Amino acid sequence: MKSYIEPEFIVERDDQKCIRCKVCINQCTYDTHYYDPEDDVIRSRDENCVNCHRCVVFCPTKAITIKRNTTRYTENWHWTQEVITAIKKQAESGGVILTGMGCDKPHYTYWDKILLNASQVTNPSIDPLREPMELRTFLGPKPDKLELELENGDVVLKTKLSPQLCVETPILFAAMSYGAVSFNVHLALARAAAQFGTLMNTGEGGLDKRLYKYGDHIIVQVASGRFGVSLDYLNVGAAIEIKIGQGAKPGIGGHLPGEKVTVEISRTRMIPVGTDALSPAPHHDIYSIEDLHQLIYALKEATDYIKPVGVKIAAVHNSAAIASGMVRAGADFIVLDGVRGSTGAAPKVIRDNVGIPIELALASVDQRLREEGIRNKTSIIVSGGIRGSADIVKAIALGADAVYIGTAALVAIGCTLCQKCYTGKCPWGIATTDPWISKRVNPDIAARRLVNLLQAWSLEIKEMMGGMGINSIESLRGNRSQLRGVGLTDTELKILGIKMAGE
Amino acid sequence: MKPSKRLEQDSIRDDVAIINAEGMHYRDLNFLIKSNSNSVRRIDIYNVDGQRYIGTGLKSNIELHLYGTPGNDLAAFMDGPTIYVHGDAQDGVGNTMNNGKVVVYGRAGDIVGYSMRGGKIFIRDDAGYRVGIHMKEYGNQKPILVIGGTVQDFLGEYMAGGILVVLGLTLKDRETCKAKFVGTGMHGGIIYFRGQLSHTGKEVKVTEIEKDDVAVLRPIIEEFCNHFNLDVDTIPLKEFKKLIPHSTRPYGKLYAY
């Protein structure tokens, strides 16, 4: 069938600058560029280009420019280019349209409608360059009260504390499975987490034995497919996270296509080479809060109650009620992943239309847990499109204990958000299991870039906190008086629990 | 109640320990089992009454004999032990089990062998819904799950590996098994089913068993019969059907790239 779909991007090459070095040909994994020996010229197949910028960055003479194809349908506000192209694609294939990364639709980003406070004259601001600023965060249930006793003149803590995770900054690396991302990415995340004193999350694809030595800085995930879930795996992690849902695809399972299940992926997931790794939509031992309680305690039993067990859900309409159930089921930390949450592969229709903004979910969950008097019994980690330190400060003031970053971490490594992760051909060596392409991520350099990002954001967080006259992240948590809304309705302000700017 | 780490000396004789589980919280019972799992060869536990997670996360070669009714998630994440249940079991027997063996002298509830990747489970009588869901295999690990009686819907759903056998011994007069959606989403492994099925998932095909299957099936049935003192000849191999997936990639063509 002839395809009616036109190229989305046009590759322009300045022939005056092109030295025929063929770097672009070697770098492109989509087979876009080719050399024509007859005319001694490099040409491009525009229809293959995904605008990943790999050739642009690596062209030594900067001869390449990628332009969006300006030849467009007679589109209008309702029938956009994207809509028309999608229909043509489905008419040609009969398939569900896949995509990667997070929702790119213009749903509100509430972070941009929230502004932060700063001290002026009264409650003076603190200079983080001179004064100590505390970003260290403990994740896990806190006791209702502390009982102390005097023993031989020393104060001794009598209350038995629940297991806690200690991170030096409230930024953790989000769940990205080995299989969705390459081994070198997992290795870089683990190294950066260990170096900076934070945590990475395995995602649902298990953990390669070579990374076991970083176990103290790794949260191991247990999802419905139970890939790679063994006793050794559960024991090696600093914490266990039960994955119920994911912001990019709430309510549906995951399919890692068989062609990505290489020998190494097979070893980590503990399944045969080449078979699909299917994660069913629900855990089939969890159909209720009581069942969730059962799995949480099965994991605690299996690991002798020495580490926190958390639960991750996608932010949906009744997140607050579910979160209450999760806490009562024994979740030591809960993870809320918003509508902007990212993915290696998801049906586009799900990614773009299912779920709610993380800002609203976080505010309503925190509020609900406070009202019920159980907020101290869990920690809240939010994720789903966290772009920078300002988003993090706003999230913590709205009630989060910490955030997960996924997309931002990958961008630090080289990702340009071309949204083609599902092809497994990521030219940046990130979202691929191809051993040859994976080498493009140098774990040492990638880890350094990640540590730099954590350091930069942590400094910015300290600056913002200092400006508010706050010197400890504890004092910022749930401190909604430091937030004001602009351009929001009364209902939105009420759900966010913040005042209008000027009030 | 504070768990005592050691078993009382007078409860151990010839490497076999005895625990009276009456009124014991599962946490204390399992703590006691776990902390002694490498010092005795076998533990007999009496008056088991719904305690969950027995054998969960246990890595050892111990033998446990349970008298009574263990609770949910028996042998979850288990790696090595052998558990004999002298009574019925509840839901989640062998959940994500890695290795070892569970023998139930009675019936079992739902999701027996959920996501098990190794070891063996033998249930003498019937089992509930979603038996063998997402069983998988890896390397030398090939889990074997045998149900002596019949099962409910979604047998072998999402099955990705291993061998699941249903003997139908509790079905009277060649009655058809009423389970629906058998093998839905199956993409690996084999189900051997004795008797007639009323409904199968679209991802599986039902075939007659062949010579190779006999070699696989016979020792499994012999082991089952040995455990439950049954005559092998009462379960003729020719009465079995084999269910295998059409594809290891049932959803490969679902997407537009």
Side-chain angles (χ1 to χ4, degrees):
Chain A
M1 196 189 297
K2 177 177 165 49
S3 174
Y4 296 161
I5 299 168
E6 290 154 32
E8 206 179 340
F9 304 101
I10 305 288
V11 181
E12 286 184 357
R13 182 177 285 98
D14 186 339
D15 200 49
Q16 296 247 297
K17 289 183 182 168
C18 179
I19 53 169
R20 278 74 171 152
C21 68
K22 298 178 190 164
V23 162
C24 53
I25 299 175
N26 292 330
Q27 290 297 321
C28 185
T29 54
Y30 292 97
D31 209 16
T32 303
H33 312 290
Y34 64 98
Y35 179 64
D36 183 344
E38 219 161 279
D39 296 339
D40 182 34
V41 69
I42 295 177
R43 302 183 197 283
S44 299
R45 302 177 187 95
D46 292 336
E47 65 277 15
N48 288 0
C49 178
V50 301
N51 192 25
C52 73
H53 284 229
R54 185 77 188 179
C55 59
V56 176
V57 168
F58 280 80
C59 174
T61 57
K62 302 289 168 218
I64 302 172
T65 316
I66 311 290
K67 296 241 163 86
R68 191 169 279 278
N69 189 350
T70 49
T71 311
R72 297 176 76 85
Y73 299 114
T74 317
E75 56 175 337
N76 59 49
W77 283 113
H78 193 66
W79 295 93
T80 58
Q81 181 87 8
E82 185 186 350
V83 167
I84 298 168
T85 308
I87 292 173
K88 289 186 187 296
K89 196 184 252 186
Q90 293 190 294
E92 287 166 17
S93 69
V96 173
I97 293 183
L98 275 184
T99 189
M101 304 315 288
C103 168
D104 58 5
K105 294 288 158 290
H107 306 309
Y108 256 26
T109 293
Y110 283 92
W111 302 131
D112 296 339
K113 304 280 176 184
I114 298 173
L115 295 171
L116 294 167
N117 194 28
S119 305
Q120 299 294 299
V121 183
T122 58
N123 183 27
S125 48
I126 302 168
D127 184 351
L129 300 178
R130 286 189 293 114
E131 306 291 334
M133 302 292 277
E134 183 70 63
L135 292 195
R136 183 176 289 171
T137 301
F138 290 92
L139 302 169
K142 309 295 183 291
D144 292 333
K145 58 178 182 192
L146 285 180
E147 281 181 66
L148 304 168
E149 238 174 51
L150 264 180
E151 257 176 40
N152 305 326
D154 290 332
V155 179
V156 179
L157 183 63
K158 282 284 151 196
T159 310
K160 196 176 176 307
L161 296 176
S162 303
Q164 303 283 319
L165 293 169
C166 174
V167 286
E168 297 304 324
T169 190
I171 312 167
L172 288 68
F173 297 128
M176 291 178 276
S177 70
Y178 176 32
V181 296
S182 63
F183 175 75
N184 283 353
V185 172
H186 249 212
L187 176 58
L189 290 165
R191 275 192 196 165
Q195 203 179 320
F196 203 85
T198 183
L199 294 150
M200 64 93 81
N201 187 311
T202 60
E204 62 174 294
L207 182 67
D208 192 285
K209 288 263 192 306
R210 287 170 283 176
L211 297 184
Y212 272 31
K213 62 180 170 191
Y214 300 103
D216 289 347
H217 297 280
I218 293 176
I219 298 176
V220 295
Q221 212 180 43
V222 173
S224 62
R226 304 284 158 86
F227 296 114
V229 177
S230 64
L231 266 182
D232 290 345
Y233 171 77
L234 297 175
N235 283 323
V236 81
I240 302 171
E241 180 179 290
I242 298 170
K243 179 200 172 185
I244 299 291
Q246 175 180 351
K249 40 184 169 180
I252 69 165
H255 300 168
L256 186 74
E259 60 259 30
K260 283 195 186 180
V261 182
T262 59
V263 175
E264 290 195 334
I265 298 293
S266 140
R267 202 183 300 142
T268 308
R269 297 207 172 209
M270 301 172 92
I271 52 169
V273 175
T275 57
D276 277 6
L278 306 179
S279 280
H283 286 248
H284 284 291
D285 53 354
I286 304 177
Y287 292 168
S288 66
I289 293 293
E290 291 73 20
D291 290 349
L292 177 64
H293 174 274
Q294 184 175 306
L295 182 59
I296 290 172
Y297 277 85
L299 292 165
K300 288 187 177 184
E301 276 286 328
T303 53
D304 300 327
Y305 298 86
I306 60 165
K307 60 184 75 182
V309 177
V311 181
K312 174 181 180 178
I313 58 163
V316 289
H317 302 182
N318 57 343
S319 289
I322 297 164
S324 166
M326 285 154 68
V327 178
R328 290 167 200 285
D332 296 322
F333 60 93
I334 62 178
V335 183
L336 305 168
D337 194 14
V339 71
R340 300 266 178 211
S342 204
T343 177
K348 195 167 185 302
V349 67
I350 305 277
R351 185 197 73 173
D352 292 348
N353 293 285
V354 184
I356 64 170
I358 190 60
E359 302 90 327
L360 302 178
L362 165 60
S364 60
V365 166
D366 179 67
Q367 185 64 27
R368 174 73 171 257
L369 299 185
R370 282 177 195 285
E371 281 166 10
E372 294 185 6
I374 54 173
R375 179 63 185 84
N376 64 313
K377 295 194 186 305
T378 201
S379 290
I380 301 177
I381 306 175
V382 296
S383 61
I386 298 288
R387 303 160 298 175
S389 54
D391 290 355
I392 299 170
V393 169
K394 291 169 190 174
I396 291 172
L398 269 185
D401 288 88
V403 304
Y404 267 134
I405 57 165
T407 300
L410 297 187
V411 170
I413 294 175
C415 168
T416 58
L417 263 87
C418 72
Q419 306 191 20
K420 295 289 187 292
C421 325
Y422 58 94
T423 63
K425 292 187 196 169
C426 176
W428 290 90
I430 296 169
T432 182
T433 58
D434 182 317
W436 184 72
I437 316 175
S438 300
K439 284 188 185 156
R440 295 180 180 194
V441 172
N442 176 322
D444 293 333
I445 296 170
R448 210 185 313 151
R449 295 177 75 100
L450 288 165
V451 168
N452 283 344
L453 182 73
L454 292 175
Q455 181 183 302
W457 285 10
S458 300
L459 284 173
E460 288 177 347
I461 293 171
K462 288 179 181 178
E463 290 282 358
M464 282 179 269
M465 278 168 42
M468 293 178 214
I470 288 172
N471 63 2
S472 159
I473 201 96
E474 292 283 334
S475 310
L476 178 66
R477 186 166 307 121
N479 192 344
R480 297 189 194 185
S481 64
Q482 300 298 327
L483 303 174
R484 289 291 186 275
V486 282
L488 298 173
T489 64
D490 284 352
T491 310
E492 288 168 321
L493 290 167
K494 190 174 142 229
I495 291 168
L496 289 167
I498 60 174
K499 288 180 178 167
M500 170 80 188
E503 273 187 275
Chain B
M1 184 169 52
K2 208 173 159 52
S4 56
K5 198 174 166 96
R6 293 257 148 245
L7 287 166
E8 299 297 328
Q9 274 310 309
D10 58 3
S11 71
I12 305 173
R13 188 166 299 161
D14 301 331
D15 269 2
V16 179
I18 292 170
I19 295 173
N20 179 5
E22 191 179 351
M24 257 177 131
H25 190 275
Y26 67 71
R27 207 171 154 176
D28 301 320
L29 175 59
N30 294 330
F31 187 78
L32 202 53
I33 296 169
K34 210 168 188 176
S35 50
N36 290 283
S37 61
N38 291 316
S39 55
V40 292
R41 183 179 56 81
R42 165 176 163 178
I43 304 179
D44 292 356
I45 306 166
Y46 292 92
N47 300 316
V48 177
D49 192 8
Q51 284 95 344
R52 289 179 173 181
Y53 313 124
I54 296 175
T56 288
L58 198 55
K59 189 172 192 166
S60 128
N61 293 317
I62 200 167
E63 194 176 305
L64 301 178
H65 285 257
L66 312 181
Y67 295 88
T69 309
N72 294 354
D73 273 351
L74 172 77
F77 311 109
M78 188 173 83
D79 199 1
T82 302
I83 300 183
Y84 295 93
V85 180
H86 301 275
D88 295 334
Q90 297 189 31
D91 296 344
V93 176
N95 190 344
T96 323
M97 177 170 139
N98 200 52
N99 220 336
K101 187 162 160 179
V102 181
V103 181
V104 178
Y105 295 87
R107 50 158 293 133
D110 298 340
I111 55 162
V112 182
Y114 174 15
S115 218
M116 73 187 283
R117 147 189 333 117
K120 296 174 183 175
I121 299 177
F122 295 96
I123 310 290
R124 189 190 66 192
D125 303 334
D126 300 341
Y129 290 82
R130 295 194 150 93
V131 170
I133 181 169
H134 223 304
M135 269 172 81
K136 44 173 73 82
E137 62 189 59
Y138 171 66
N140 297 326
Q141 287 175 287
K142 198 166 203 171
I144 293 170
L145 168 54
V146 188
I147 309 294
T150 188
V151 290
Q152 301 292 337
D153 301 350
F154 302 107
L155 174 78
E157 190 185 22
Y158 275 115
M159 190 168 164
I163 298 167
L164 218 173
V165 185
V166 180
L167 302 178
L169 295 173
T170 56
L171 291 172
K172 293 190 186 74
D173 307 325
R174 322 297 302 147
E175 192 186 347
T176 301
C177 172
K178 293 189 183 66
K180 293 192 175 66
F181 301 101
V182 173
T184 300
M186 187 172 169
H187 53 290
I190 304 174
I191 301 176
Y192 292 108
F193 196 96
R194 182 167 161 265
Q196 297 301 313
L197 277 162
S198 61
H199 187 249
T200 56
K202 62 181 187 303
E203 291 84 0
V204 290
K205 55 185 168 197
V206 184
T207 67
E208 299 299 320
I209 65 162
E210 291 156 28
K211 211 167 139 197
D212 291 352
D213 298 312
V214 172
V216 173
L217 201 46
R218 190 184 300 279
I220 295 174
I221 294 185
E222 278 171 2
E223 193 172 347
F224 181 89
C225 289
N226 281 341
H227 279 304
F228 302 114
N229 210 9
L230 293 167
D231 183 357
V232 177
D233 296 333
T234 59
I235 310 172
L237 293 181
K238 62 178 191 312
E239 293 179 4
F240 281 87
K241 295 253 186 311
K242 177 165 81 162
L243 278 73
I244 49 171
H246 284 296
S247 158
T248 56
R249 305 223 29 214
Y251 306 116
K253 292 196 171 66
L254 197 62
Y255 302 108
Y257 279 81

